[in-house]
Amino acid sequence: MPELVFFSGTMDCGKSTLALQIEHNRSARGLQGVILTRDDRAGEGKLSSRLGLVTDAVEVEDGQDLYAYIVDHLSHGGRADYVIADEAQFLVPEQIDQLARVVDDLSIDVYAFGITTDFRSKLFPGSQRLVELADRVEVLQVEALCWCGARATHNARTVGGVMVVEGAQVVVGDVNQADAIGYEVLCRRHHRRRMTAASARAAALSPDVLPVSSVS
């Protein structure tokens, strides 16, 4: 039976890489799919991985009816043996409902990839709807690591290396950016303490924490 599958995880855990692998495996068997994306780091109409892999995709627009798009694609002679939706957290709940309808009414598998929570540890509306509707939710097993070496469970937004907890929910950036707006994955403890890799380095270099040797 066709399924709506939600592959979730933190940033930097290989979601887009897996999406590209699924596309490769199916296209190698002669299947044809529709790839959807939203606000990819590589730019409009791209699905990219941090490993350097990239492929063309359909950029989802505000208010776009994804069920109607697939129906139109099919009615004009296109094939859609499966649908891949990357950056699915940026879709609105209504678009997730439309993807579920693609599965139920058109008997097409839909594979959605996205992060579950934002930089404030709040659910993205699109991800919440996927958790509610998906036939399966798969948490990716490639563990992203916090700077301390623990398993990263939270996404942090940084400005100049400093973690921020206020602002718009969607601001496109990438991990490990030292300037402007960037993102970093942290364990829960360091997310709660708002301690990024940059602030940890600064604390380690502070004279207040350097060991003091006695003069003999």
Side-chain angles (χ1 to χ4, degrees):
M1 295 293 293
E3 289 185 307
L4 172 60
V5 186
F6 179 34
F7 295 92
S8 69
T10 62
M11 293 179 294
D12 212 20
C13 74
K15 295 181 302 301
S16 296
T17 301
L18 179 58
L20 289 163
Q21 184 67 55
I22 287 176
E23 158 64 13
H24 170 76
N25 290 351
R26 279 153 181 74
S27 62
R29 297 298 180 266
L31 301 177
Q32 295 182 23
V34 173
I35 304 176
L36 307 173
T37 190
R38 181 70 190 261
D39 295 332
D40 188 273
R41 69 185 72 83
E44 184 174 337
K46 299 293 181 183
L47 190 168
S48 68
S49 164
R50 292 189 179 92
L51 297 181
L53 304 173
V54 63
T55 192
D56 291 330
V58 176
E59 185 76 16
V60 177
E61 301 176 355
D62 292 336
Q64 183 176 7
D65 187 325
L66 299 181
Y67 177 80
Y69 176 83
I70 298 299
V71 169
D72 184 68
H73 175 76
L74 295 172
S75 66
H76 284 82
R79 281 181 59 185
D81 299 309
Y82 58 91
V83 173
I84 290 174
D86 197 31
E87 306 294 355
Q89 72 274 5
F90 296 145
L91 303 180
V92 298
E94 292 77 12
Q95 290 171 323
I96 303 302
D97 288 345
Q98 293 155 13
L99 291 177
R101 189 180 176 193
V102 168
V103 176
D104 296 339
D105 293 359
L106 303 179
S107 297
I108 296 173
D109 285 312
V110 174
Y111 306 102
F113 299 80
I115 59 179
T116 309
T117 58
D118 64 14
F119 68 104
R120 301 164 300 183
S121 297
K122 303 295 184 182
L123 285 168
F124 281 100
S127 297
Q128 178 178 335
R129 193 61 178 146
L130 275 165
V131 171
E132 293 166 348
L133 291 183
D135 297 292
R136 287 189 290 127
V137 177
E138 301 281 352
V139 178
L140 297 190
Q141 299 303 309
V142 178
E143 293 186 349
L145 298 179
C146 177
W147 60 264
C148 69
R151 185 170 70 91
T153 55
H154 289 63
N155 305 300
R157 179 182 294 169
T158 60
V159 178
V162 178
M163 180 176 162
V164 296
V165 293
E166 295 182 353
Q169 186 175 52
V170 178
V171 177
V172 179
D174 205 349
V175 295
N176 301 322
Q177 289 185 349
D179 56 353
I181 295 176
Y183 289 90
E184 184 173 344
V185 288
L186 299 172
C187 64
R188 185 180 63 238
R189 178 177 60 160
H190 287 127
H191 191 276
R192 286 178 49 247
R193 296 178 180 178
R194 303 186 189 180
M195 184 172 286
T196 65
S199 61
R201 286 193 297 269
L205 294 174
S206 170
D208 296 332
V209 298
L210 290 175
V212 178
S213 59
S214 59
V215 177
S216 55

